[in-house]
Amino acid sequence: MVNGKKNAFKAAGLFISLAFFSCKTIAQESAQSNAGQSEITISKDSKWSEKMALTLMKRHPESYMIDDSKAPKWDYVHGLVLYSFQELNKKNPDSRYTAYIKSYVDNFIQNDGTIKTYELEKYNIDMIVAGRLLFNIYTATKEEKYLKAMQLLRKQLEEQPRTQSGGFWHKKIYPNQMWLDGLYMGEPFYAQYTAVFENGKSLDDIAKQFEQIQLHATNPKTGLLYHAWDESKKMPWADKETGNSPNYWSRALGWYAMALVDALDYFPKDHPKQKELVGYLNNVSAALAKYQDEKSGLWYQVTDKAGEKGNYLEASGSSMFAYAFAKGANKGYLPAKYKNLANKAFDGLTKQLIKTDADGGITLTQACQVAGLGGTPYRDGSYEYYINERKKDNDPKATGPFILAALELNR
């Protein structure tokens, strides 16, 4: 059975060098990690991915502190940022990165595979994405608790409430609603899990999630997708005919584009749904390219309303698009011109939105901190709502994709 799992990992291209996670190395790293943070120096000659990663480690000595968290919490923002560290470590191996990732995971994963602060019964799809950190650690350590934790997250997906047409609800408290965010939160983990442990048996179900949101949330005139779709059409924010929310939010579109390029890693080229997903990526990328600001290379918070009062060039969506365009082009899913558009966006980020701090660290500005729909206090999805949500420097929804874009562009 162990050999079967090992071969499955190799088949999925996931078997990493045990040198990164040897028991001896992990013990040393854990002992050294806190001391190492205060000694971090950030060279002006480092690549942008390394500058950002080291900045975050210096500002947040414990990885659970990302997003200024005061106490450990199993959360999607940590999953996003630490996944970018994982990708950085593949290209630029550094024991500090692996220690930083593992220290986060080990705050939560118990010997029986349960995950502290995680509540399955809430069926919150945001809670799945941090599970992407567990594959490499399980491969390297072979500790059953990491496998059991992945199985627990897989159980959530198995039981996740669905729309009548088969799409995952975003959360139990948001019945009948699919949000673009949820595609990134659930599908890359789901795709990797089914590729590694299930011989890809659920790839059709993963494709179905994209099919549903593509079918229901796309505006055929613009090619852009609305932030969310309510199948019941009962939410006050939902259009009474289509069920869609009223506006395009760049970060939501960014989640969707990243979900496609990351989930596609696990779809074999000969899988019947692979070309369909590549088609979705081309469609949304072509639509987004039309709204890229010519001068800055960036995108606005409300994607299609450049120049309207209060709208601003936003860091997280722009970083996500740069990553999705660059990876899509590198993988051959998108035409080569999208690599140029990604570089233009990255130039805009580094020249217009990055500040260099006194210690050599970097700060990415103009990032929307949070936006959603419904809830309490009520969020109506209006233009005024999106432009008035607060901003946060080095928000993790921007820094993670910034690192990923820098890696794809080798910048």
Side-chain angles (χ1 to χ4, degrees), residues 233-292:
K233 304 172 187 173
K234 290 178 181 175
M235 291 302 292
W237 53 255
D239 182 278
K240 297 309 169 201
E241 289 185 21
T242 66
N244 287 319
S245 58
N247 281 289
Y248 310 116
W249 179 37
S250 285
R251 181 148 80 227
L253 281 154
W255 289 126
Y256 181 68
M258 291 202 305
L260 281 163
V261 292
D262 283 7
L264 274 164
D265 283 343
Y266 307 100
F267 277 77
K269 278 194 172 179
D270 60 355
H271 190 278
K273 299 293 185 181
Q274 195 263 4
K275 284 188 174 59
E276 181 182 299
L277 297 186
V278 170
Y280 295 161
L281 178 62
N282 276 268
N283 291 344
V284 74
S285 298
L288 288 166
K290 294 175 188 171
Y291 294 97
Q292 186 175 21

Side-chain angles (χ1 to χ4, degrees), residues 187-326:
E187 307 326 313
F189 171 87
Y190 191 6
Q192 188 169 359
Y193 188 95
T194 199
V196 172
F197 296 114
E198 301 173 339
N199 292 316
K201 75 171 188 180
S202 295
L203 290 174
D204 283 352
D205 190 40
I206 291 154
K208 176 185 276 189
Q209 306 307 311
F210 290 100
E211 289 166 357
Q212 289 305 308
I213 203 74
Q214 187 77 27
L215 177 66
H216 296 289
T218 308
N219 182 325
K221 291 181 181 175
T222 63
L224 298 174
L225 289 87
Y226 294 102
H227 186 172
W229 167 63
D230 171 18
E231 185 182 53
S232 72
K233 304 172 187 173
K234 290 178 181 175
M235 291 302 292
W237 53 255
D239 182 278
K240 297 309 169 201
E241 289 185 21
T242 66
N244 287 319
S245 58
N247 281 289
Y248 310 116
W249 179 37
S250 285
R251 181 148 80 227
L253 281 154
W255 289 126
Y256 181 68
M258 291 202 305
L260 281 163
V261 292
D262 283 7
L264 274 164
D265 283 343
Y266 307 100
F267 277 77
K269 278 194 172 179
D270 60 355
H271 190 278
K273 299 293 185 181
Q274 195 263 4
K275 284 188 174 59
E276 181 182 299
L277 297 186
V278 170
Y280 295 161
L281 178 62
N282 276 268
N283 291 344
V284 74
S285 298
L288 288 166
K290 294 175 188 171
Y291 294 97
Q292 186 175 21
D293 182 58
E294 184 62 36
K295 186 177 178 183
S296 67
L298 302 172
W299 282 264
Y300 281 85
Q301 163 77 339
V302 180
T303 318
D304 65 330
K305 291 183 166 54
E308 291 202 18
K309 187 177 179 182
N311 209 0
Y312 60 94
L313 296 167
E314 199 277 328
S316 67
S318 296
S319 296
M320 290 174 172
F321 299 149
Y323 167 60
F325 283 10

Side-chain angles (χ1 to χ4, degrees), residues 76-92:
Y76 75 96
V77 295
H78 299 80
L80 171 65
V81 173
L82 295 174
Y83 174 76
S84 77
F85 274 63
Q86 186 174 283
E87 294 303 293
L88 172 59
N89 192 61
K90 286 181 188 174
K91 296 202 175 174
N92 183 22

Side-chain angles (χ1 to χ4, degrees), residues 15 107 212 234 286 300 353 368 397:
F15 197 80
N107 272 309
Q212 289 305 308
K234 290 178 181 175
Y300 281 85
L353 301 187
C368 174
K397 281 86 74 183

